[in-house]
């Protein structure tokens, strides 16, 4: 009655090939046909089973590769196919032709997406919008919750597993329960912190960059009393820019300017930006002579003077939440401070409101005096 059907060399123009209608049709029309209601015997079980095996195999092979195949629409195709098979089995077993096979196709698509992607609320909204029928909302919610619960028993979601296979350090929404009894110092590990002095030798920078793959390094300076002081964080990419340009090399091992001076104007901001079309600079691409290795670099103009810092006995769960909420990549762990400089409250951050209140107070004072 409706839908886009493929003839595929059928003898009669009014006939269609059910397997070709799924394979050689657009995915929109194929999904619409699978979800269609009041279409008994629209597809044969052999054709649906053949399409399910072949399409599922192709989806497994193409996911994760550089092919714009996606996973959401193929997931709807796979789920609606086996959902329609279940609907055909129910109709044949209970011998009730009034059962809609398209409803089972919709629930099958919801179950496959819920079990593979582990999304509940957004998928429920999408499925309800596809059908435009609020009566199916309880069934869709039940199917999504059951498929997610069954999937969580075996492994994580599809995208989480893909991120793990690619080595992406993806943080979950909530910290693990064991982190409540751990401190930030325990999470640092037993490895020695690789830090740099404010004025560092070029050869030392090259050896440090070659010996590890750290992205950031704390910069340490010493006071007149000999006490070490963390003055900031310098990134690996910034060090590579300095080594490649060579314009900031100096012969003296002493700071050239205590305030950083005008040394930062020798570089443009785009020099420190990561190239979009590549993985960035590498220490192996930088060639330095023996005279360059004996030079020094003052890191004061290139560091971040105010990195995020937490005390050593801070709960690891709070540290986890800081990384999640602030999107951090580095976090310094320092001893607990011995004194307090001040206390900031929420009212201290409302600068504009405070200025308006002061203005109103001055106006009221002048009126009363007049």
């Amino acid at each position: 009655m409706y839908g886009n059907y493929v003839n595929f060399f059928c003898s009669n123009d009014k006939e269609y090939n059910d397997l070709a209608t799924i394979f050689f049709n657009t995915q929109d029309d194929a999904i619409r046909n699978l979800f269609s209601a009041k279409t008994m015997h629209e597809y044969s079980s052999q054709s649906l089973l053949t399409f399910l095996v072949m399409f599922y195999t192709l989806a497994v092979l193409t996911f994760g590769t550089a092919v714009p195949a996606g996973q959401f629409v193929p997931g709807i195709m796979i789920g609606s196919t086996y959902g329609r098979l279940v609907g055909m089995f129910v109709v044949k077993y209970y011998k009730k032709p009034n059962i809609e096979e398209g409803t089972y196709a919709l629930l099958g698509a919801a179950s496959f997406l819920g079990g593979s992607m582990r999304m509940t609320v957004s998928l429920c909204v999408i499925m309800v919008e596809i059908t435009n029928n609020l009566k199916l909302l309880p069934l869709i919610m039940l199917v999504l919750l059951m498929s997610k619960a069954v999937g969580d028993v075996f492994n994580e979601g599809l995208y989480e597993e893909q991120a793990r296979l690619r080595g992406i350090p993806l943080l979950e929404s909530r910290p693990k329960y064991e982190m409540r009894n751990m401190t930030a110092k325990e999470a640092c590990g037993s490895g020695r912190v690789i830090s740099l002095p404010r004025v560092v030798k070029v050869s030392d920078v090259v050896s440090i960059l070659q010996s590890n793959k750290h992205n950031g390094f704390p910069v340490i300076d010493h006071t007149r009393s000999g006490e070490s002081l963390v003055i900031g964080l310098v990134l690996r990419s910034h060090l590579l820019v300095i080594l490649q340009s060579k314009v900031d090399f100096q012969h003296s091992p002493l700071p050239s300017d205590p305030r950083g001076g005008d040394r930062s104007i020798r570089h443009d901001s785009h020099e420190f930006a990561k190239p979009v079309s590549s993985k960035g600079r590498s220490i192996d691409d930088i060639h330095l002579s023996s005279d360059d290795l004996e030079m020094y670099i003052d890191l004061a103009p290139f560091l971040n003077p105010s990195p995020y810092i937490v005390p050593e006995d801070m709960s690891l769960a709070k540290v986890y939440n800081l990384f999640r909420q602030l999107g951090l990549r580095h976090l310094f762990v320092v001893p607990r401070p011995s004194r307090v400089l001040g206390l900031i409250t929420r009212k201290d951050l409302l600068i504009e409101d405070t200025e308006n209140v002061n203005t109103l107070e001055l106006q009221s004072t002048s009126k009363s005096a007049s």
Side-chain angles (χ1 to χ4, degrees), residues 167-188:
I168 301 175
L170 182 64
L171 298 179
E172 298 179 357
S173 58
R174 294 182 180 181
K176 295 183 178 180
Y177 184 81
E178 298 83 21
M179 292 184 179
R180 299 181 180 181
N181 301 325
M182 299 177 63
T183 61
K185 185 178 180 180
E186 297 176 1
C188 294

PDB file of all heavy atoms in Angstrom, residues 167-188:
ATOM      1  N   GLY A 167      43.039   3.399  23.573  1.00  0.00           N
ATOM      2  CA  GLY A 167      43.916   3.934  24.598  1.00  0.00           C
ATOM      3  C   GLY A 167      43.555   5.332  25.053  1.00  0.00           C
ATOM      4  O   GLY A 167      44.425   6.058  25.554  1.00  0.00           O
ATOM      5  N   ILE A 168      42.302   5.736  24.907  1.00  0.00           N
ATOM      6  CA  ILE A 168      41.871   7.067  25.338  1.00  0.00           C
ATOM      7  C   ILE A 168      41.543   7.015  26.824  1.00  0.00           C
ATOM      8  O   ILE A 168      40.701   6.222  27.246  1.00  0.00           O
ATOM      9  CB  ILE A 168      40.647   7.528  24.534  1.00  0.00           C
ATOM     10  CG1 ILE A 168      40.981   7.571  23.044  1.00  0.00           C
ATOM     11  CG2 ILE A 168      40.169   8.893  25.008  1.00  0.00           C
ATOM     12  CD1 ILE A 168      39.801   7.898  22.164  1.00  0.00           C
ATOM     13  N   PRO A 169      42.196   7.835  27.654  1.00  0.00           N
ATOM     14  CA  PRO A 169      41.911   7.814  29.100  1.00  0.00           C
ATOM     15  C   PRO A 169      40.587   8.499  29.422  1.00  0.00           C
ATOM     16  O   PRO A 169      40.552   9.631  29.906  1.00  0.00           O
ATOM     17  CB  PRO A 169      43.109   8.553  29.706  1.00  0.00           C
ATOM     18  CG  PRO A 169      43.553   9.486  28.621  1.00  0.00           C
ATOM     19  CD  PRO A 169      43.281   8.783  27.317  1.00  0.00           C
ATOM     20  N   LEU A 170      39.503   7.814  29.168  1.00  0.00           N
ATOM     21  CA  LEU A 170      38.175   8.373  29.388  1.00  0.00           C
ATOM     22  C   LEU A 170      37.755   8.145  30.831  1.00  0.00           C
ATOM     23  O   LEU A 170      37.763   7.010  31.324  1.00  0.00           O
ATOM     24  CB  LEU A 170      37.168   7.721  28.433  1.00  0.00           C
ATOM     25  CG  LEU A 170      35.728   8.222  28.504  1.00  0.00           C
ATOM     26  CD1 LEU A 170      35.660   9.677  28.083  1.00  0.00           C
ATOM     27  CD2 LEU A 170      34.817   7.373  27.627  1.00  0.00           C
ATOM     28  N   LEU A 171      37.399   9.229  31.509  1.00  0.00           N
ATOM     29  CA  LEU A 171      36.958   9.141  32.899  1.00  0.00           C
ATOM     30  C   LEU A 171      35.448   8.955  32.951  1.00  0.00           C
ATOM     31  O   LEU A 171      34.706   9.614  32.227  1.00  0.00           O
ATOM     32  CB  LEU A 171      37.339  10.410  33.669  1.00  0.00           C
ATOM     33  CG  LEU A 171      38.838  10.710  33.785  1.00  0.00           C
ATOM     34  CD1 LEU A 171      39.053  12.002  34.551  1.00  0.00           C
ATOM     35  CD2 LEU A 171      39.579   9.575  34.462  1.00  0.00           C
ATOM     36  N   GLU A 172      35.014   8.069  33.821  1.00  0.00           N
ATOM     37  CA  GLU A 172      33.591   7.829  33.985  1.00  0.00           C
ATOM     38  C   GLU A 172      32.948   8.996  34.729  1.00  0.00           C
ATOM     39  O   GLU A 172      33.626   9.885  35.249  1.00  0.00           O
ATOM     40  CB  GLU A 172      33.367   6.517  34.737  1.00  0.00           C
ATOM     41  CG  GLU A 172      33.910   5.295  34.005  1.00  0.00           C
ATOM     42  CD  GLU A 172      33.694   4.029  34.798  1.00  0.00           C
ATOM     43  OE1 GLU A 172      33.170   4.125  35.924  1.00  0.00           O
ATOM     44  OE2 GLU A 172      34.062   2.956  34.297  1.00  0.00           O
ATOM     45  N   SER A 173      31.634   8.974  34.770  1.00  0.00           N
ATOM     46  CA  SER A 173      30.925  10.093  35.379  1.00  0.00           C
ATOM     47  C   SER A 173      31.135  10.154  36.889  1.00  0.00           C
ATOM     48  O   SER A 173      31.133  11.242  37.471  1.00  0.00           O
ATOM     49  CB  SER A 173      29.422   9.988  35.074  1.00  0.00           C
ATOM     50  OG  SER A 173      28.898   8.763  35.556  1.00  0.00           O
ATOM     51  N   ARG A 174      31.333   9.029  37.525  1.00  0.00           N
ATOM     52  CA  ARG A 174      31.506   9.000  38.976  1.00  0.00           C
ATOM     53  C   ARG A 174      32.783   8.255  39.338  1.00  0.00           C
ATOM     54  O   ARG A 174      33.148   7.284  38.676  1.00  0.00           O
ATOM     55  CB  ARG A 174      30.305   8.323  39.650  1.00  0.00           C
ATOM     56  CG  ARG A 174      28.998   9.101  39.503  1.00  0.00           C
ATOM     57  CD  ARG A 174      27.875   8.385  40.243  1.00  0.00           C
ATOM     58  NE  ARG A 174      26.618   9.125  40.121  1.00  0.00           N
ATOM     59  CZ  ARG A 174      25.478   8.730  40.680  1.00  0.00           C
ATOM     60  NH1 ARG A 174      25.450   7.592  41.384  1.00  0.00           N
ATOM     61  NH2 ARG A 174      24.376   9.442  40.532  1.00  0.00           N
ATOM     62  N   PRO A 175      33.463   8.687  40.392  1.00  0.00           N
ATOM     63  CA  PRO A 175      34.667   7.957  40.823  1.00  0.00           C
ATOM     64  C   PRO A 175      34.305   6.631  41.457  1.00  0.00           C
ATOM     65  O   PRO A 175      33.178   6.427  41.936  1.00  0.00           O
ATOM     66  CB  PRO A 175      35.309   8.916  41.845  1.00  0.00           C
ATOM     67  CG  PRO A 175      34.178   9.739  42.352  1.00  0.00           C
ATOM     68  CD  PRO A 175      33.218   9.887  41.205  1.00  0.00           C
ATOM     69  N   LYS A 176      35.264   5.731  41.486  1.00  0.00           N
ATOM     70  CA  LYS A 176      35.038   4.432  42.107  1.00  0.00           C
ATOM     71  C   LYS A 176      34.993   4.579  43.622  1.00  0.00           C
ATOM     72  O   LYS A 176      35.533   5.521  44.206  1.00  0.00           O
ATOM     73  CB  LYS A 176      36.130   3.457  41.695  1.00  0.00           C
ATOM     74  CG  LYS A 176      36.116   3.143  40.207  1.00  0.00           C
ATOM     75  CD  LYS A 176      37.159   2.111  39.858  1.00  0.00           C
ATOM     76  CE  LYS A 176      37.107   1.774  38.365  1.00  0.00           C
ATOM     77  NZ  LYS A 176      38.125   0.757  38.010  1.00  0.00           N
ATOM     78  N   TYR A 177      34.365   3.616  44.250  1.00  0.00           N
ATOM     79  CA  TYR A 177      34.159   3.699  45.696  1.00  0.00           C
ATOM     80  C   TYR A 177      35.486   3.635  46.439  1.00  0.00           C
ATOM     81  O   TYR A 177      35.642   4.229  47.517  1.00  0.00           O
ATOM     82  CB  TYR A 177      33.239   2.560  46.146  1.00  0.00           C
ATOM     83  CG  TYR A 177      32.885   2.624  47.615  1.00  0.00           C
ATOM     84  CD1 TYR A 177      31.881   3.478  48.071  1.00  0.00           C
ATOM     85  CD2 TYR A 177      33.556   1.834  48.547  1.00  0.00           C
ATOM     86  CE1 TYR A 177      31.552   3.556  49.409  1.00  0.00           C
ATOM     87  CE2 TYR A 177      33.233   1.899  49.891  1.00  0.00           C
ATOM     88  CZ  TYR A 177      32.230   2.757  50.321  1.00  0.00           C
ATOM     89  OH  TYR A 177      31.919   2.838  51.653  1.00  0.00           O
ATOM     90  N   GLU A 178      36.477   2.917  45.899  1.00  0.00           N
ATOM     91  CA  GLU A 178      37.764   2.799  46.589  1.00  0.00           C
ATOM     92  C   GLU A 178      38.496   4.132  46.683  1.00  0.00           C
ATOM     93  O   GLU A 178      39.371   4.306  47.538  1.00  0.00           O
ATOM     94  CB  GLU A 178      38.645   1.772  45.882  1.00  0.00           C
ATOM     95  CG  GLU A 178      38.073   0.360  45.853  1.00  0.00           C
ATOM     96  CD  GLU A 178      37.073   0.176  44.723  1.00  0.00           C
ATOM     97  OE1 GLU A 178      37.136   0.978  43.771  1.00  0.00           O
ATOM     98  OE2 GLU A 178      36.236  -0.738  44.820  1.00  0.00           O
ATOM     99  N   MET A 179      38.181   5.074  45.789  1.00  0.00           N
ATOM    100  CA  MET A 179      38.881   6.353  45.789  1.00  0.00           C
ATOM    101  C   MET A 179      38.561   7.200  47.014  1.00  0.00           C
ATOM    102  O   MET A 179      39.305   8.130  47.329  1.00  0.00           O
ATOM    103  CB  MET A 179      38.542   7.137  44.520  1.00  0.00           C
ATOM    104  CG  MET A 179      39.082   6.523  43.251  1.00  0.00           C
ATOM    105  SD  MET A 179      38.739   7.551  41.808  1.00  0.00           S
ATOM    106  CE  MET A 179      39.520   6.595  40.523  1.00  0.00           C
ATOM    107  N   ARG A 180      37.464   6.894  47.694  1.00  0.00           N
ATOM    108  CA  ARG A 180      37.115   7.678  48.882  1.00  0.00           C
ATOM    109  C   ARG A 180      38.122   7.466  50.009  1.00  0.00           C
ATOM    110  O   ARG A 180      38.325   8.362  50.833  1.00  0.00           O
ATOM    111  CB  ARG A 180      35.717   7.299  49.361  1.00  0.00           C
ATOM    112  CG  ARG A 180      34.619   7.576  48.340  1.00  0.00           C
ATOM    113  CD  ARG A 180      33.249   7.206  48.898  1.00  0.00           C
ATOM    114  NE  ARG A 180      32.188   7.463  47.928  1.00  0.00           N
ATOM    115  CZ  ARG A 180      30.898   7.248  48.163  1.00  0.00           C
ATOM    116  NH1 ARG A 180      30.515   6.784  49.358  1.00  0.00           N
ATOM    117  NH2 ARG A 180      30.008   7.495  47.237  1.00  0.00           N
ATOM    118  N   ASN A 181      38.737   6.297  50.054  1.00  0.00           N
ATOM    119  CA  ASN A 181      39.702   5.984  51.101  1.00  0.00           C
ATOM    120  C   ASN A 181      41.143   6.201  50.663  1.00  0.00           C
ATOM    121  O   ASN A 181      42.066   5.808  51.373  1.00  0.00           O
ATOM    122  CB  ASN A 181      39.522   4.523  51.547  1.00  0.00           C
ATOM    123  CG  ASN A 181      38.130   4.249  52.075  1.00  0.00           C
ATOM    124  OD1 ASN A 181      37.524   5.112  52.714  1.00  0.00           O
ATOM    125  ND2 ASN A 181      37.610   3.058  51.801  1.00  0.00           N
ATOM    126  N   MET A 182      41.341   6.805  49.514  1.00  0.00           N
ATOM    127  CA  MET A 182      42.692   7.081  49.006  1.00  0.00           C
ATOM    128  C   MET A 182      42.925   8.582  48.957  1.00  0.00           C
ATOM    129  O   MET A 182      41.982   9.376  48.866  1.00  0.00           O
ATOM    130  CB  MET A 182      42.864   6.470  47.606  1.00  0.00           C
ATOM    131  CG  MET A 182      42.711   4.972  47.546  1.00  0.00           C
ATOM    132  SD  MET A 182      42.831   4.330  45.863  1.00  0.00           S
ATOM    133  CE  MET A 182      44.516   4.801  45.437  1.00  0.00           C
ATOM    134  N   THR A 183      44.185   8.950  49.020  1.00  0.00           N
ATOM    135  CA  THR A 183      44.570  10.359  48.972  1.00  0.00           C
ATOM    136  C   THR A 183      45.262  10.666  47.650  1.00  0.00           C
ATOM    137  O   THR A 183      45.626   9.762  46.890  1.00  0.00           O
ATOM    138  CB  THR A 183      45.497  10.704  50.145  1.00  0.00           C
ATOM    139  OG1 THR A 183      46.682   9.907  50.063  1.00  0.00           O
ATOM    140  CG2 THR A 183      44.802  10.449  51.473  1.00  0.00           C
ATOM    141  N   ALA A 184      45.442  11.959  47.401  1.00  0.00           N
ATOM    142  CA  ALA A 184      46.104  12.371  46.165  1.00  0.00           C
ATOM    143  C   ALA A 184      47.561  11.923  46.134  1.00  0.00           C
ATOM    144  O   ALA A 184      48.102  11.612  45.071  1.00  0.00           O
ATOM    145  CB  ALA A 184      46.013  13.894  46.022  1.00  0.00           C
ATOM    146  N   LYS A 185      48.202  11.859  47.290  1.00  0.00           N
ATOM    147  CA  LYS A 185      49.592  11.426  47.341  1.00  0.00           C
ATOM    148  C   LYS A 185      49.734   9.965  46.944  1.00  0.00           C
ATOM    149  O   LYS A 185      50.710   9.579  46.285  1.00  0.00           O
ATOM    150  CB  LYS A 185      50.147  11.649  48.745  1.00  0.00           C
ATOM    151  CG  LYS A 185      51.626  11.340  48.894  1.00  0.00           C
ATOM    152  CD  LYS A 185      52.111  11.622  50.300  1.00  0.00           C
ATOM    153  CE  LYS A 185      53.600  11.313  50.434  1.00  0.00           C
ATOM    154  NZ  LYS A 185      54.089  11.594  51.807  1.00  0.00           N
ATOM    155  N   GLU A 186      48.782   9.126  47.313  1.00  0.00           N
ATOM    156  CA  GLU A 186      48.829   7.714  46.951  1.00  0.00           C
ATOM    157  C   GLU A 186      48.644   7.512  45.452  1.00  0.00           C
ATOM    158  O   GLU A 186      49.176   6.559  44.880  1.00  0.00           O
ATOM    159  CB  GLU A 186      47.762   6.945  47.716  1.00  0.00           C
ATOM    160  CG  GLU A 186      47.964   6.952  49.218  1.00  0.00           C
ATOM    161  CD  GLU A 186      46.825   6.258  49.943  1.00  0.00           C
ATOM    162  OE1 GLU A 186      45.907   5.760  49.253  1.00  0.00           O
ATOM    163  OE2 GLU A 186      46.844   6.217  51.188  1.00  0.00           O
ATOM    164  N   ALA A 187      47.893   8.387  44.820  1.00  0.00           N
ATOM    165  CA  ALA A 187      47.668   8.253  43.379  1.00  0.00           C
ATOM    166  C   ALA A 187      48.860   8.698  42.558  1.00  0.00           C
ATOM    167  O   ALA A 187      48.956   8.351  41.378  1.00  0.00           O
ATOM    168  CB  ALA A 187      46.431   9.053  42.960  1.00  0.00           C
ATOM    169  N   CYS A 188      49.762   9.475  43.160  1.00  0.00           N
ATOM    170  CA  CYS A 188      50.925   9.947  42.406  1.00  0.00           C
ATOM    171  C   CYS A 188      51.885   8.816  42.064  1.00  0.00           C
ATOM    172  O   CYS A 188      52.676   8.943  41.121  1.00  0.00           O
ATOM    173  CB  CYS A 188      51.676  11.015  43.217  1.00  0.00           C
ATOM    174  SG  CYS A 188      50.751  12.530  43.472  1.00  0.00           S
TER     175      CYS A 188
END
